CSV table of all heavy atoms in Angstrom, one decimal:
chain,number,residue,atom,x,y,z
L,176,GLY,N,-86.2,73.0,46.3
L,176,GLY,CA,-85.3,73.4,45.2
L,176,GLY,C,-85.0,74.9,45.2
L,176,GLY,O,-86.0,75.7,45.3
L,177,ARG,N,-83.8,75.2,45.2
L,177,ARG,CA,-83.4,76.7,45.2
L,177,ARG,C,-83.2,77.3,43.8
L,177,ARG,O,-82.9,78.4,43.7
L,177,ARG,CB,-82.0,76.8,46.0
L,177,ARG,CG,-82.0,76.2,47.4
L,177,ARG,CD,-83.0,77.0,48.3
L,177,ARG,NE,-82.8,76.7,49.7
L,177,ARG,CZ,-83.8,76.4,50.5
L,177,ARG,NH1,-85.0,76.1,50.1
L,177,ARG,NH2,-83.5,76.2,51.9
L,178,GLY,N,-83.6,76.5,42.8
L,178,GLY,CA,-83.5,77.0,41.4
L,178,GLY,C,-84.6,78.0,41.1
L,178,GLY,O,-84.6,78.6,40.1
L,179,GLY,N,-85.7,78.1,41.9
L,179,GLY,CA,-86.8,79.0,41.7
L,179,GLY,C,-88.1,78.5,42.0
L,179,GLY,O,-88.8,79.1,42.6
L,180,ALA,N,-88.4,77.3,41.5
L,180,ALA,CA,-89.8,76.7,41.7
L,180,ALA,C,-90.0,76.3,43.2
L,180,ALA,O,-91.1,76.2,43.6
L,180,ALA,CB,-90.0,75.6,40.8
L,181,GLY,N,-88.9,75.9,43.9
L,181,GLY,CA,-89.2,75.5,45.3
L,181,GLY,C,-89.8,74.2,45.5
L,181,GLY,O,-90.5,73.9,46.5
L,182,PHE,N,-89.6,73.2,44.6
L,182,PHE,CA,-90.2,71.9,44.7
L,182,PHE,C,-89.4,71.1,45.6
L,182,PHE,O,-88.2,71.1,45.7
L,182,PHE,CB,-90.1,71.2,43.3
L,182,PHE,CG,-91.2,70.3,43.0
L,182,PHE,CD1,-92.5,70.6,42.9
L,182,PHE,CD2,-90.8,68.8,43.1
L,182,PHE,CE1,-93.5,69.6,42.7
L,182,PHE,CE2,-91.8,67.9,42.9
L,182,PHE,CZ,-93.2,68.3,42.7
L,187,LYS,N,-88.4,64.6,44.4
L,187,LYS,CA,-87.9,64.4,43.1
L,187,LYS,C,-86.9,63.3,43.2
L,187,LYS,O,-86.8,62.4,42.3
L,187,LYS,CB,-87.1,65.7,42.6
L,187,LYS,CG,-88.1,66.8,42.2
L,187,LYS,CD,-87.5,68.1,41.8
L,187,LYS,CE,-86.2,68.2,41.0
L,187,LYS,NZ,-86.0,69.6,40.6
L,204,ASN,N,-77.9,71.9,37.7
L,204,ASN,CA,-78.3,73.0,36.8
L,204,ASN,C,-77.4,74.2,37.4
L,204,ASN,O,-77.7,74.9,38.5
L,204,ASN,CB,-79.8,73.3,36.9
L,204,ASN,CG,-80.2,74.4,36.1
L,204,ASN,OD1,-79.4,75.2,35.5
L,204,ASN,ND2,-81.5,74.5,35.8
L,206,ASP,N,-76.8,76.9,35.4
L,206,ASP,CA,-76.9,77.8,34.2
L,206,ASP,C,-77.1,79.3,34.7
L,206,ASP,O,-76.8,80.2,34.0
L,206,ASP,CB,-78.0,77.4,33.4
L,206,ASP,CG,-77.9,77.9,32.0
L,206,ASP,OD1,-76.9,78.1,31.4
L,206,ASP,OD2,-79.0,78.4,31.4
L,207,GLU,N,-77.5,79.4,36.0
L,207,GLU,CA,-77.8,80.7,36.6
L,207,GLU,C,-78.1,81.8,35.6
L,207,GLU,O,-77.3,82.7,35.4
L,207,GLU,CB,-76.6,81.0,37.4
L,207,GLU,CG,-76.8,82.2,38.2
L,207,GLU,CD,-76.0,82.2,39.6
L,207,GLU,OE1,-74.8,82.3,39.5
L,207,GLU,OE2,-76.6,82.1,40.7
L,208,GLY,N,-79.3,81.7,35.0
L,208,GLY,CA,-79.6,82.6,33.9
L,208,GLY,C,-80.2,84.0,34.4
L,208,GLY,O,-80.2,84.9,33.6
L,209,ASP,N,-80.7,84.1,35.6
L,209,ASP,CA,-81.2,85.3,36.1
L,209,ASP,C,-80.3,86.4,36.0
L,209,ASP,O,-79.2,86.3,36.7
L,209,ASP,CB,-81.9,85.1,37.4
L,209,ASP,CG,-82.3,86.4,38.1
L,209,ASP,OD1,-82.2,87.4,37.5
L,209,ASP,OD2,-82.7,86.4,39.3
L,215,ASP,N,-74.8,81.0,42.6
L,215,ASP,CA,-74.3,79.7,42.2
L,215,ASP,C,-72.9,79.9,41.7
L,215,ASP,O,-72.1,78.9,42.0
L,215,ASP,CB,-75.2,79.1,41.1
L,215,ASP,CG,-76.6,78.9,41.5
L,215,ASP,OD1,-76.8,78.9,42.7
L,215,ASP,OD2,-77.4,78.6,40.6
L,292,PHE,N,-80.7,81.6,27.8
L,292,PHE,CA,-81.4,81.6,29.0
L,292,PHE,C,-82.3,80.4,29.3
L,292,PHE,O,-82.4,79.7,30.3
L,292,PHE,CB,-82.2,82.9,29.2
L,292,PHE,CG,-83.0,83.0,30.4
L,292,PHE,CD1,-82.5,83.0,31.8
L,292,PHE,CD2,-84.4,83.0,30.2
L,292,PHE,CE1,-83.3,83.0,32.8
L,292,PHE,CE2,-85.2,83.1,31.4
L,292,PHE,CZ,-84.7,83.1,32.7
L,293,VAL,N,-82.9,80.0,28.1
L,293,VAL,CA,-84.0,79.0,28.2
L,293,VAL,C,-83.3,77.7,28.6
L,293,VAL,O,-84.0,76.7,29.2
L,293,VAL,CB,-84.7,78.9,26.8
L,293,VAL,CG1,-83.9,78.3,25.8
L,293,VAL,CG2,-86.0,78.0,27.0
L,295,GLY,N,-81.8,77.1,31.1
L,295,GLY,CA,-82.0,76.8,32.6
L,295,GLY,C,-83.2,76.0,32.9
L,295,GLY,O,-83.4,75.4,33.9
L,296,GLU,N,-84.2,76.0,31.9
L,296,GLU,CA,-85.4,75.2,32.0
L,296,GLU,C,-84.9,73.7,31.8
L,296,GLU,O,-84.2,73.3,31.0
L,296,GLU,CB,-86.4,75.5,31.0
L,296,GLU,CG,-87.8,75.1,31.3
L,296,GLU,CD,-88.0,73.7,30.9
L,296,GLU,OE1,-87.3,73.1,30.0
L,296,GLU,OE2,-88.9,73.0,31.4
L,297,GLU,N,-85.4,72.8,32.8
L,297,GLU,CA,-84.7,71.5,32.8
L,297,GLU,C,-84.7,70.7,31.6
L,297,GLU,O,-83.8,70.0,31.2
L,297,GLU,CB,-85.2,70.7,34.0
L,297,GLU,CG,-86.7,70.6,34.1
L,297,GLU,CD,-87.2,70.0,35.6
L,297,GLU,OE1,-86.2,69.9,36.4
L,297,GLU,OE2,-88.3,69.6,35.6
L,330,ILE,N,-82.7,66.7,38.3
L,330,ILE,CA,-81.9,67.9,38.1
L,330,ILE,C,-82.1,68.8,39.3
L,330,ILE,O,-83.3,69.0,39.7
L,330,ILE,CB,-82.5,68.6,36.8
L,330,ILE,CG1,-82.2,67.8,35.6
L,330,ILE,CG2,-81.8,70.0,36.7
L,330,ILE,CD1,-82.8,68.3,34.3
L,331,ASN,N,-81.1,69.3,39.9
L,331,ASN,CA,-81.3,70.2,40.9
L,331,ASN,C,-80.3,71.4,40.7
L,331,ASN,O,-79.2,71.2,40.1
L,331,ASN,CB,-80.8,69.5,42.4
L,331,ASN,CG,-82.0,68.7,42.9
L,331,ASN,OD1,-81.8,67.5,43.1
L,331,ASN,ND2,-83.1,69.3,43.1
L,332,ASN,N,-80.6,72.4,41.4
L,332,ASN,CA,-79.9,73.6,41.4
L,332,ASN,C,-78.5,73.5,42.2
L,332,ASN,O,-78.5,72.7,43.2
L,332,ASN,CB,-80.7,74.8,41.8
L,332,ASN,CG,-80.0,76.1,42.2
L,332,ASN,OD1,-79.7,76.3,43.4
L,332,ASN,ND2,-79.7,76.8,41.2
L,333,VAL,N,-77.5,74.3,41.9
L,333,VAL,CA,-76.3,74.4,42.7
L,333,VAL,C,-76.5,74.6,44.2
L,333,VAL,O,-76.0,73.7,45.1
L,333,VAL,CB,-75.4,75.6,42.2
L,333,VAL,CG1,-74.1,75.6,43.1
L,333,VAL,CG2,-75.0,75.3,40.8
L,335,THR,N,-79.1,74.1,46.0
L,335,THR,CA,-79.8,72.9,46.6
L,335,THR,C,-78.8,71.9,47.0
L,335,THR,O,-78.8,71.5,48.1
L,335,THR,CB,-80.8,72.3,45.5
L,335,THR,OG1,-81.6,73.3,45.0
L,335,THR,CG2,-81.7,71.2,46.2
L,511,CYS,N,-93.5,76.3,28.1
L,511,CYS,CA,-92.6,76.1,29.4
L,511,CYS,C,-92.6,77.3,30.3
L,511,CYS,O,-93.2,78.4,30.0
L,511,CYS,CB,-91.2,75.8,28.9
L,511,CYS,SG,-90.1,77.3,28.5
L,512,GLY,N,-91.8,77.1,31.3
L,512,GLY,CA,-91.8,78.2,32.4
L,512,GLY,C,-91.3,79.5,31.9
L,512,GLY,O,-91.7,80.5,32.4
L,513,LEU,N,-90.5,79.6,30.8
L,513,LEU,CA,-90.1,80.8,30.3
L,513,LEU,C,-91.3,81.7,30.0
L,513,LEU,O,-91.4,82.9,30.4
L,513,LEU,CB,-89.0,80.7,29.2
L,513,LEU,CG,-88.3,81.9,28.9
L,513,LEU,CD1,-87.0,81.6,28.2
L,513,LEU,CD2,-89.1,82.8,27.9
W,719,LIG,C1,-86.7,79.8,31.8
W,719,LIG,C2,-86.3,79.2,33.0
W,719,LIG,C3,-85.0,79.3,33.4
W,719,LIG,C4,-84.5,78.6,34.5
W,719,LIG,N1,-83.3,78.9,34.8
W,719,LIG,C5,-82.7,78.1,36.0
W,719,LIG,C6,-81.4,78.4,36.4
W,719,LIG,O1,-80.6,79.2,35.7
W,719,LIG,N2,-80.9,77.7,37.4
W,719,LIG,C7,-81.6,76.7,38.1
W,719,LIG,O2,-81.2,76.2,39.0
W,719,LIG,N3,-82.9,76.5,37.7
W,719,LIG,C8,-83.5,77.2,36.7
W,719,LIG,N4,-84.8,77.0,36.3
W,719,LIG,C9,-85.6,76.0,37.0
W,719,LIG,C10,-85.3,74.6,36.5
W,719,LIG,O3,-86.1,74.3,35.4
W,719,LIG,C11,-85.5,73.5,37.5
W,719,LIG,O4,-86.7,73.7,38.2
W,719,LIG,C12,-84.5,73.5,38.6
W,719,LIG,O5,-83.1,73.5,38.1
W,719,LIG,C13,-84.7,72.3,39.6
W,719,LIG,O6,-83.7,72.4,40.7
W,719,LIG,P1,-84.2,72.6,42.2
W,719,LIG,O7,-85.4,71.7,42.3
W,719,LIG,O8,-83.0,72.3,42.9
W,719,LIG,O9,-84.6,74.0,42.2
W,719,LIG,C14,-85.3,77.7,35.2
W,719,LIG,C15,-86.6,77.5,34.8
W,719,LIG,C16,-87.1,78.2,33.7
W,719,LIG,C17,-88.5,77.9,33.3
Side-chain angles (χ1 to χ4, degrees):
Chain L
R177 301 298 194 233
F182 205 74
K187 286 175 38 171
N204 187 344
D206 199 41
E207 193 153 64
D209 170 5
D215 295 349
F292 172 66
V293 69
E296 197 281 334
E297 52 189 11
I330 300 174
N331 282 119
N332 165 262
V333 174
T335 311
C511 86
L513 193 154

